[in-house]
Amino acid sequence: MHTVIVNWKLAILLFTMTLLTSGCATYSDHIRGVYLQLEQQDPVAALAELEQASGPQRDRLAYLLNRAMLLRMTADYSASNQNFEQAKILIERLDAISLREQTGALSINEGLRSYPGEPHEQVFLHLYAALNYLQLGQLDSARVEALQVNLRLQSLAENANGKAYNEDPFAHYLTAMIYEELEEWSDAMIAYRDAYQRYAASLTLVVPEFLKHDLLRLSAKMGLSDELASYQETFGIKKYLTVADLKSQGELVFILHNGLAPKKEQQGSRVVDYGTGRLVSIALPYYVTNDYHAQHASALINGQAQPLETMTNIDAVAKRTLEARIPALTARAIARAVLKDNAARRVEEEQGPLAGFFVNIVAAATEVADTRSWWSLPHDIQVLRMPLSPAVYDIRVDLHNDDTQLGTLDFKNITITAGQKTFVEQHWIKPAP
Amino acid sequence: MPPLMKSTHLQQTLILICLALLLSACGTVVKRVGVDEVHDLSGNWNDTDSRLVSEEMIADVLSRAWLNNYRSKHKGQPTVIVGEIRNLSHEHINLNTFTGDMERELINSGKVQFVASSNEREEVREERSDQEFHAREDTRKEMGQEIGADFMLKGSINTIVDHEGKAAIKYYQVDLTLISMADNRKVWVGQKKIKKVVKKGAFRL
């Protein structure tokens, strides 16, 4: 009789182990194939690969965000926005706590929780949706996204995880351009100012040269003469194009989505739980910088090379956001490890060392870090914004690392229209050697 | 505690964990509801808002002085066209259904004539020019016989959102203006406001 009970329990343990370990490969393992296709500069194949590996329902947000990004790489902006819209609805829904998922996350691993997106991902969703609408020529819809970015930033500022995400200046800069294009001067001025303050305060980014001109142009338009004078003095710029001057010209806004965002990987470590004094194994996520980007880019227009300026460094933003969450993630991982350790000890006491050994294996195998992310975001975003006379242009963009040329991109027949901005975008991923 | 009881507890716990892991949301349920029934899901602008606003605002525009003023000076009914309604809100609003609702209310009132919008006109013109070549002469419609609109209805939807934690107040303001095509006079200005308090649940399945 005793043997029967033991066998039955072993069966349950083995069943649980099989069930759990089957889902224990990290998210990064699932998407390796997609990476390979992107390295081959083939977003269409990458999209097909991603759709094959859509993963469980709890990974849906990561799937939607990455799918939306791959769709825009293939220039299918409407489909991309449909995915972004679904992602927004999902984020709203995931704002509420699921007790079932919490139990799973606290007893097995963080990956059993539905992925709600990192704070910066929730902001970039709106920025990329806005860029999609700009490509579709739907300026009012891009404006809707600009308003939603503001709401998102406000709600992130209220919550503990979001605070770590130091509002990205690019969010403000993009919304400013949208308002200016709609001739909503005061909103544009406020957003340019917000962007400027954040660039000026940033340790890694510098104030883009064209933003200085934007501030001069808008403060003159708004009749803010003191502010205009102070900008002129700070920037050392006397001559600038007024709103009327710019109206007679067109503008090129070239946006380079450079490389891929850092990859979330897992790192195992053994830590002491101060409550029990035991040594426990935990796994935590960390970001690894991807080497798919160019350090510098410049555009050749009318025979003159114009440098692109880094508007946001998503690699740094992502790392900073995750770093702020690490203490909470560590505390939860330790609590989980102690719980599993207790279970293993109890089983060992009751069922003998073999059963205890199995539970230990299950415990170790199920302790995997949550490595889900919007990995198809770029490493950074570089922009060139310049006034040009209305005409048709051929533009060549050079990508390089210090002195090494990495590649060139050619854009033929770009039409610049008077009084309008022409948005040209390109995702670029360094080819595999 | 006897060892057997302890192990029963353990089994139960294990089974419960397995069940919790395996149980996920059940199948999709679809229920047909009347189109007039109000169902607020997310608190966003929906079909009910579109219908209520268009009904009220069109009832208002048709009850104002400009209509009698027009009738006293001209024979017949004024011709109206719906121009651009801009979405200046924080939501992606389907303006086609809103414009459609307003057009329906205007036409069905029987108090005004209504002409096709610029997009629709293009299509009709294409068809008419096609008739020039392909239709029988006695059924062919001539060019240059269109009725020009007397008034254009233009407007915008604006929002103000205030939120704190899980609660939000959404305030929608729809502004419509009726402009005389002959001299740019604004003959009617209407406004409709909707205020919604949205409280999000703290828990989900």
Side-chain angles (χ1 to χ4, degrees), chain B residues 87-155:
Chain B
N87 173 20
L88 300 178
S89 77
H90 72 286
E91 283 170 26
H92 292 289
I93 289 176
N94 186 343
L95 290 173
N96 292 337
T97 64
F98 182 57
T99 317
D101 280 344
M102 284 199 301
E103 288 185 353
R104 192 198 63 231
E105 290 295 315
L106 275 171
I107 296 168
N108 293 348
S109 74
K111 292 179 180 172
V112 294
Q113 296 281 330
F114 205 83
V115 288
S117 69
S118 55
N119 285 345
E120 291 168 327
R121 280 201 302 269
E122 286 303 318
E123 198 185 336
V124 175
R125 279 173 198 154
E126 261 176 45
E127 174 62 26
R128 211 180 286 134
S129 70
D130 187 72
Q131 285 188 359
E132 288 281 312
F133 298 102
H134 304 293
R136 226 173 51 215
E137 200 173 335
D138 57 321
T139 59
R140 199 177 289 163
K141 305 295 174 293
E142 280 180 47
M143 300 274 194
Q145 298 298 310
E146 292 177 14
I147 298 174
D150 300 307
F151 298 97
M152 184 186 258
L153 191 66
K154 283 176 67 68

Side-chain angles (χ1 to χ4, degrees), chain A residues 9 95-97 140 145 148, chain B residues 7 86 90 92 166 202 204:
Chain A
K9 276 173 201 160
D95 198 28
I97 295 165
D140 273 351
E145 295 298 330
Q148 290 186 355
Chain B
S7 59
R86 281 192 71 193
H90 72 286
H92 292 289
K166 300 259 176 214
R204 64 186 160 88

Side-chain angles (χ1 to χ4, degrees), chain A residues 10-23:
Chain A
L10 271 177
I12 290 181
L13 285 173
L14 283 171
F15 171 69
T16 319
M17 190 171 82
T18 328
L19 186 78
L20 296 177
T21 46
S22 64

Side-chain angles (χ1 to χ4, degrees), chain A residues 350-366:
Chain A
E350 290 165 18
Q351 310 299 329
L354 183 65
F357 171 72
F358 273 125
V359 174
N360 259 324
I361 287 179
V362 174
T366 53

Side-chain angles (χ1 to χ4, degrees), chain A residues 5 8-9 12 16 20 85 88 92-98 100-101 108 112 133 140-141 143-145 147-148 151 154-155 158 182 347 350-351, chain B residues 4 6-7 9-11 14-15 17-18 20-25 84 86-92 161 163-166 200-205:
Chain A
I5 292 176
W8 191 67
K9 276 173 201 160
I12 290 181
T16 319
L20 296 177
E85 281 305 312
K88 283 185 209 170
E92 282 296 305
R93 204 170 63 78
L94 296 179
D95 198 28
I97 295 165
S98 160
R100 180 174 61 93
E101 286 179 9
I108 297 158
L112 291 179
Y133 284 119
D140 273 351
S141 297
R143 186 186 185 278
V144 169
E145 295 298 330
L147 295 179
Q148 290 186 355
L151 286 178
Q154 277 173 28
S155 78
E158 282 172 14
L182 286 161
V347 170
E350 290 165 18
Q351 310 299 329
Chain B
L4 194 66
K6 260 194 184 174
S7 59
H9 279 307
L10 182 72
Q11 281 162 17
L14 280 172
I15 289 168
I17 289 176
C18 291
L21 279 169
L22 293 173
L23 274 179
S24 53
E84 191 190 14
R86 281 192 71 193
N87 173 20
L88 300 178
S89 77
H90 72 286
E91 283 170 26
H92 292 289
V161 181
H163 66 98
E164 167 81 52
K166 300 259 176 214
K200 285 195 275 183
F203 298 102
R204 64 186 160 88
L205 266 178

